[in-house]
Amino acid sequence: MEISKNYVTSSNVEAIGYDESSNTLRVWFLNGSVYDYLNVPSIEYNALSNAPSIGSYLARNIKGVYPYSKVG
């Protein structure tokens, strides 16, 4: 699965990406870690992309809501 990086302005997140075929959200953090969040609807990815604060949206609406795995 190849997910392209969409760089964002955030104090915690370097980039986000999304694979529509598997509904996988990938988040690259500034500390070097990479996580895949699974079964994330595309509308949620779009909302994250357009959020005024990527980190806050991620904490409120993604973390603890969708299963995840550390991939890097």
Side-chain angles (χ1 to χ4, degrees):
M1 176 173 51
E2 185 64 36
I3 300 178
S4 60
K5 277 185 172 183
N6 298 308
Y7 290 91
V8 296
T9 302
S10 170
S11 60
N12 193 28
V13 177
E14 176 187 13
I16 59 174
Y18 188 71
D19 179 64
E20 282 199 45
S21 65
S22 64
N23 291 340
T24 300
L25 166 67
R26 181 165 291 169
V27 180
W28 290 265
F29 290 93
L30 290 171
N31 68 7
S33 59
V34 182
Y35 285 86
D36 280 354
Y37 294 87
L38 312 173
N39 305 317
V40 177
S42 60
I43 193 167
E44 195 78 90
Y45 172 70
N46 292 333
L48 174 65
S49 299
N50 295 309
S53 170
I54 299 290
S56 292
Y57 191 94
L58 191 66
R60 278 195 322 270
N61 301 84
I62 307 293
K63 290 181 177 180
V65 176
Y66 299 99
Y68 67 90
S69 61
K70 187 172 184 178
V71 294

